[in-house]
Amino acid sequence: MQNQTPPQQQNPAQVKANSARIAHDVLRSLNEDATDLTAMRTLLEKERQVLEQRDHSQLEEITHNKSALAAQLEQRNSKRLASLARLIPTPITASPTDAKSWREAMQHLEQNSGLAMIGTWDKVEQQLRECSELLQINEKIIGNMRQGVNQFLNL
């Protein structure tokens, strides 16, 4: 059974034990995210190739797989936020998409648990940026294709 005593009412040993448990869970989930983000990058690269070749037969499967990965990433992120809120109510819960807040939360966990969190966080953050860039490229390709179809239809 998890200790539900608020952090401010826990003794230092409880705080350290909770920090270590939460840090371990967060680290595990970040490693799972890294695996999923690698798969997402592969899907986005494949999607780009399919779009550039105008071979749309694979797009439905790619879109389904991207959606499934995104749902897994979001679910883990929600669990991380809930875990972190039990340990450090601010600033991460106030701004869950702020990279600075996440870095501070990872530093807090690293300092209080002894686990190396920052390196894994940096890797995941970099992968998120790369996937975002690839997604933007694919969206531009799709936008250009739509524009071409609309111009053709308006002739």
Side-chain angles (χ1 to χ4, degrees), residues 24-92:
H24 182 269
D25 291 347
V26 168
L27 187 58
R28 185 188 73 250
S29 75
L30 288 173
N31 282 317
E32 290 170 357
D33 279 3
T35 299
D36 283 352
L37 287 167
T38 298
M40 181 69 81
R41 179 186 177 99
T42 300
L43 283 172
L44 290 166
E45 289 169 343
K46 184 176 182 180
E47 180 182 56
R48 181 179 180 180
Q49 185 178 43
V50 164
L51 290 168
E52 288 174 341
Q53 293 173 354
R54 298 185 186 263
D55 173 18
H56 302 149
S57 62
Q58 299 176 50
L59 281 179
E60 187 175 332
E61 180 183 356
I62 291 170
T63 300
H64 173 76
N65 291 339
K66 284 185 345 184
S67 294
L69 284 172
Q72 286 175 228
L73 290 162
E74 182 57 38
Q75 183 179 31
R76 277 195 298 272
N77 188 55
S78 294
K79 287 181 181 179
R80 268 193 301 271
L81 283 170
S83 293
L84 289 171
R86 287 194 307 270
L87 185 65
I88 43 176
T90 57
I92 195 69

Side-chain angles (χ1 to χ4, degrees), residues 35-154:
T35 299
D36 283 352
L37 287 167
T38 298
M40 181 69 81
R41 179 186 177 99
T42 300
L43 283 172
L44 290 166
E45 289 169 343
K46 184 176 182 180
E47 180 182 56
R48 181 179 180 180
Q49 185 178 43
V50 164
L51 290 168
E52 288 174 341
Q53 293 173 354
R54 298 185 186 263
D55 173 18
H56 302 149
S57 62
Q58 299 176 50
L59 281 179
E60 187 175 332
E61 180 183 356
I62 291 170
T63 300
H64 173 76
N65 291 339
K66 284 185 345 184
S67 294
L69 284 172
Q72 286 175 228
L73 290 162
E74 182 57 38
Q75 183 179 31
R76 277 195 298 272
N77 188 55
S78 294
K79 287 181 181 179
R80 268 193 301 271
L81 283 170
S83 293
L84 289 171
R86 287 194 307 270
L87 185 65
I88 43 176
T90 57
I92 195 69
T93 55
S95 183
T97 59
D98 178 49
K100 183 179 179 211
S101 295
W102 275 104
R103 177 166 270 293
E104 289 171 358
M106 295 304 109
Q107 287 171 332
H108 176 85
L109 285 176
E110 187 170 281
Q111 290 168 355
N112 289 297
S113 71
L115 291 174
M117 306 293 295
I118 299 299
T120 304
W121 169 249
D122 287 344
K123 176 182 176 182
V124 168
E125 189 177 35
Q126 178 63 31
Q127 286 178 298
L128 283 167
R129 278 193 300 273
E130 290 169 0
C131 285
S132 178
E133 290 169 10
L134 289 169
L135 183 61
Q136 288 175 7
I137 290 167
N138 292 355
E139 288 173 347
K140 285 180 184 178
I141 293 170
I142 291 169
N144 289 339
M145 291 171 80
R146 281 189 187 141
Q147 186 177 19
V149 168
N150 287 340
Q151 287 174 348
F152 176 76
L153 292 175
N154 289 329

